[in-house]
């Protein structure tokens, strides 16, 4: 199967696009057409069998895929891979955080990492994967690529910009092919440092001399979206198996959104035939997506990034929207919109394009004070603790008032965001996650055991660099 380029560039075979996802047009590789699948026939499939069925329809099968799907076997023992928890018969939460780093990024990065490992091994190609993270992508990428042959990973994070738990998840990662640097500055500084490096001719020559090509595991890589189709289907089938809905009943999926990869996976599932009435996407104070889906205007010209309690959603340029535009309106129109975004920092859909968008999507935003109150409210009502990202989805449920059965996609464990949790439940500010966890423990609230053990581990990667020093350090390490 070939993937199309969203901006009309040349097509690439799927595996090639996974290994080399950067397109010369600066577009993204994506599905050319979306196949119709028979999910009703998958009711007895295991998670891995379902994943294999969907991947096969997109042209990916064989030993390499089987090996990649084995990664799911290591997801936490006491839970299924992506369990559905029914708060009421028609309100479900799908927990996507039972992978090694407690956020939903593991759902895709675990198998994708294994695929990249197989590709590197088979082709004798060496990859340097560079990742800039605001907190969740970094740990998940490191965990997915640790110890693989022919792959090295450099991860940059803002030294003062992540939670303690997130920082420790990176700093304690012990494998010879991983390097983690804190940088002086914020996430934008880390990301632009990385972009500058990738565009730097001298750096690229040196990489070539050492035999490396650049590998990409961020949302540019279609492999991320591919594995994010599966759990949406799984959640629906779990619900049918629970006998609270029948196959064919229409549901709503509510997705806390940032780069729009998770919601795009739901869109593909819908187009493949899963009975989804609407996908509700939720933004935080960075409500560019909410504005886009409600008005057809994508406008970042007057915006600057706000820091919120749901940091993984602190995004203005939501990269996967480009794949949605391509799927709905084709490459010419996508290219036009993306050019406008580059030049004018905005683009506007026509009235009929907006209507098409709204056939599939609804959009809501949730501010920080609401996020805190929904954590508290859901805990009081259901004795169920959610993280700040998931909390935004509960705001959406209330705003959307309509009788559709709804599944909230829960994207992280609260244990990653103890300080915010403590603020929400106890109205208490704390110095760091450690102190917050102690306060919560006094109330009988304990985090997943891996969080506790993480706080005991000695950090290995403790270097903090100034931006101009980064290139030199990476070269020296390679
Ligand atoms: C990455 C992330 C999101 C946003 O997901 P997108 O696919 O980028 O829209 C939401 N919540 C958490 C916890 C995340 O790590």
């Amino acid at each position: 199967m070939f993937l199309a380029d969203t901006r009309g560039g040349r097509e690439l075979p799927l595996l090639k696009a996974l290994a080399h996802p950067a397109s010369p047009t600066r577009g993204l590789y994506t599905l050319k057409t979306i196949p119709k699948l028979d999910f009703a026939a998958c009711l007895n499939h295991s998670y891995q069998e379902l994943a294999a069925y969907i991947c096969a329809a997109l042209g990916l099968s064989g030993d390499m895929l089987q090996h990649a799907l084995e990664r799911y076997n290591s997801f936490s023992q006491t839970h299924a891979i992506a369990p559905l928890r029914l708060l009421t018969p028609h309100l479900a939460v799908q927990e996507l955080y039972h992978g090694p780093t407690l956020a939903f990024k593991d759902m895709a990065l675990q198998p994708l990492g294994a695929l990249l490992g197989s590709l590197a091994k088979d082709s004798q190609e060496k990859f340097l994967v560079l990742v800039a993270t605001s907190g969740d992508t970094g740990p998940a990428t490191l965990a997915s690529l640790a110890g693989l042959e022919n792959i090295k990973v450099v991860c940059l994070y803002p030294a003062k910009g992540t939670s303690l738990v997130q920082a420790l998840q990176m700093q304690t990662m012990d494998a010879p092919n991983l390097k983690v640097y804190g940088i002086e500055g914020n996430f934008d500084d880390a990301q632009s440092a990385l972009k500058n490096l990738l565009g730097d001719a001298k750096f690229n020559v040196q990489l070539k001399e050492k035999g490396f090509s650049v590998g990409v595991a961020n949302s540019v890589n279609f492999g991320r979206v591919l594995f994010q189709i599966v759990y949406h289907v799984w959640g629906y089938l779990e619900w049918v198996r629970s006998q609270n809905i029948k196959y064919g009943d229409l549901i709503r999926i509510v997705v806390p959104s940032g780069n729009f990869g998770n919601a795009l996976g739901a869109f593909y599932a819908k187009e493949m035939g899963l009975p989804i009435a609407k996908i509700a996407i939720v933004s935080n104070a960075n409500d560019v997506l909410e504005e886009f889906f409600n008005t057809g205007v994508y406008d970042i010209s007057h915006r600057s990034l706000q820091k919120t309690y749901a940091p993984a959603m602190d995004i203005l340029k939501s990269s996967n929207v480009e794949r949605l535009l391509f799927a709905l309106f084709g490459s010419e129109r996508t290219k036009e919109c993306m050019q406008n975004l580059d030049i004018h920092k905005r683009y506007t859909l026509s009235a009929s394009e907006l209507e098409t968008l709204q056939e599939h999507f609804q959009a809501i935003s949730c501010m920080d004070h609401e996020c805190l109150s929904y954590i508290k409210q859901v805990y009081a009502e259901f004795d169920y603790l959610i993280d700040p990202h998931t909390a935004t989805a509960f705001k959406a449920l209330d705003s959307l008032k309509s009788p559709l059965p709804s599944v909230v996609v829960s994207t992280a464990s609260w244990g990653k965001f103890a300080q915010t949790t403590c603020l929400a439940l106890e109205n208490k500010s704390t110095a760091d996650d450690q102190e917050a966890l102690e306060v919560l423990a006094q109330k009988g609230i304990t985090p997943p055991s891996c969080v506790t053990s993480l706080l005991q581990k000695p950090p290995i990667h403790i270097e903090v660099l100034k931006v101009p020093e980064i290139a030199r350090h990476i070269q020296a390490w390679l």
Side-chain angles (χ1 to χ4, degrees):
M1 160 116 171
F2 278 69
L3 294 185
D5 177 321
T6 49
R7 302 188 194 180
R10 89 191 154 103
E11 298 178 355
L12 272 193
L14 177 68
L15 285 178
K16 189 123 202 171
L18 299 188
H20 299 280
S23 156
T25 66
R26 301 199 299 133
L28 303 173
Y29 292 109
T30 193
L31 292 181
K32 238 180 357 178
T33 54
I34 304 170
K36 289 279 178 222
L37 300 185
D38 183 6
F39 294 130
C42 299
L43 269 165
N44 294 322
H45 283 22
S46 68
Y47 192 91
Q48 284 90 337
E49 286 166 346
L50 179 66
Y53 171 68
I54 293 170
C55 288
L58 303 179
L60 181 59
S61 57
D63 289 349
M64 203 184 268
L65 177 68
Q66 288 308 324
H67 173 67
L69 295 177
E70 279 169 18
R71 286 286 187 98
Y72 288 123
N73 299 347
S74 69
F75 278 44
S76 75
Q77 300 293 309
T78 49
H79 296 276
I81 294 161
L84 196 73
R85 193 175 168 117
L86 291 174
L87 298 185
T88 74
H90 282 167
L91 171 56
V93 180
Q94 188 176 22
E95 298 177 350
L96 299 180
Y97 52 78
H98 295 294
T101 70
L102 304 180
F104 97 97
K105 304 286 189 291
D106 291 326
M107 296 299 302
L109 274 166
Q110 277 296 316
L112 179 59
L115 277 182
L116 293 178
S118 302
L119 287 168
K121 204 165 141 197
D122 291 359
S123 65
Q124 288 299 313
E125 234 178 319
K126 287 202 289 180
F127 290 104
L128 173 65
V129 174
L130 296 168
V131 50
T133 183
S134 61
D136 281 344
T137 307
T141 307
L142 294 165
S144 102
L145 298 171
L148 295 179
E149 242 175 84
N150 288 352
I151 293 187
K152 287 196 169 191
V153 188
V154 173
C155 175
L156 306 177
Y157 70 96
K160 295 200 177 83
T162 70
S163 78
L164 176 65
V165 169
Q166 288 172 325
L168 283 174
Q169 283 184 328
M170 296 183 272
Q171 292 166 350
T172 59
M173 200 72 82
D174 186 11
N177 68 328
L178 308 179
K179 197 76 190 170
V180 179
Y181 296 113
I183 68 146
E184 289 182 10
N186 59 25
F187 171 59
D188 287 337
D189 298 324
Q191 191 153 38
S192 42
L194 209 150
K195 276 201 181 127
N196 289 340
L197 213 56
L198 291 172
D200 184 292
K202 199 169 131 212
F203 180 74
N204 281 296
V205 169
Q206 282 160 337
L207 273 192
K208 266 225 176 80
E209 281 169 8
K210 299 200 173 177
F212 281 94
S213 16
V214 172
V216 181
N218 63 17
S219 57
V220 167
N221 198 313
F222 181 75
R224 292 278 294 274
V225 187
L226 173 64
F227 292 108
Q228 287 171 191
I229 301 169
V230 182
Y231 52 74
H232 292 296
V233 181
W234 177 257
Y236 186 90
L237 296 178
E238 280 281 277
W239 212 347
V240 173
R241 286 190 284 261
S242 79
Q243 302 191 340
N244 287 291
I245 61 171
K246 293 190 308 296
Y247 194 94
D249 288 353
L250 288 170
I251 63 156
R252 177 195 286 126
I253 300 187
V254 189
V255 190
S257 296
N259 244 329
F260 198 67
N262 200 346
L264 184 69
F267 171 76
Y268 287 145
K270 179 174 191 287
E271 291 303 278
M272 288 173 171
L274 195 70
I276 300 171
K278 294 277 184 198
I279 300 156
I281 59 133
V282 199
S283 308
N284 58 24
N286 301 288
D287 55 0
V288 61
L289 285 177
E290 190 253 356
E291 181 177 53
F292 178 60
F293 284 97
N294 285 312
T295 67
V297 181
Y298 197 107
D299 188 354
I300 56 174
S301 64
H302 62 290
R303 290 172 181 271
S304 59
L305 199 72
Q306 317 275 315
K307 270 181 82 78
T308 74
Y309 292 139
M313 296 155 66
D314 291 349
I315 285 171
L316 294 180
K317 260 196 192 172
S318 182
S319 62
N320 277 302
V321 171
E322 180 167 351
R323 288 190 168 107
L324 178 67
L325 294 179
F326 175 87
L328 295 175
F329 311 125
S331 64
E332 277 307 308
R333 182 66 175 132
T334 305
K335 192 166 145 185
E336 194 173 66
C337 291
M338 290 303 122
Q339 271 168 357
N340 280 330
L341 187 61
D342 271 351
I343 299 166
H344 306 296
K345 306 275 176 242
R346 58 178 280 154
Y347 59 87
T348 305
L349 298 184
S350 70
S352 79
E353 285 169 337
L354 177 60
E355 209 172 294
T356 304
L357 211 60
Q358 293 179 342
E359 282 168 22
H360 302 281
F361 294 95
Q362 300 169 307
I364 298 289
S365 60
C366 174
M367 299 302 128
D368 267 352
H369 67 279
E370 297 169 309
C371 169
L372 294 182
S373 70
Y374 276 97
I375 293 175
K376 189 164 176 150
Q377 187 182 318
V378 170
Y379 188 63
E381 191 173 346
F382 300 106
D383 193 22
Y384 182 60
L385 195 45
I386 51 174
D387 96 293
H389 302 83
T390 309
T392 67
F394 278 87
K395 154 80 191 286
L397 277 180
D398 268 357
S399 312
L400 287 167
K401 292 204 184 66
S402 94
L404 279 175
S406 298
V407 55
V408 163
V409 172
S410 181
T411 49
S413 160
W414 72 266
K416 265 188 124 158
F417 304 97
Q419 271 194 286
T420 307
T421 309
C422 186
L423 190 60
L425 295 184
E426 298 300 317
N427 197 18
K428 187 169 164 45
S429 295
T430 46
D432 59 21
D433 287 341
Q434 178 112 39
E435 187 192 338
L437 286 167
E438 282 160 16
V439 174
L440 291 169
Q442 282 163 13
K443 302 280 165 183
I445 301 167
T446 50
S449 59
C450 56
V451 172
T452 323
S453 56
L454 194 64
L455 292 165
Q456 320 288 326
K457 276 195 195 169
I460 302 166
H461 306 278
I462 49 172
E463 280 168 283
V464 176
L465 306 179
K466 292 189 171 59
V467 169
E469 303 171 339
I470 296 170
R472 187 167 52 81
H473 279 260
I474 297 178
Q475 278 151 14
W477 178 62
L478 287 177

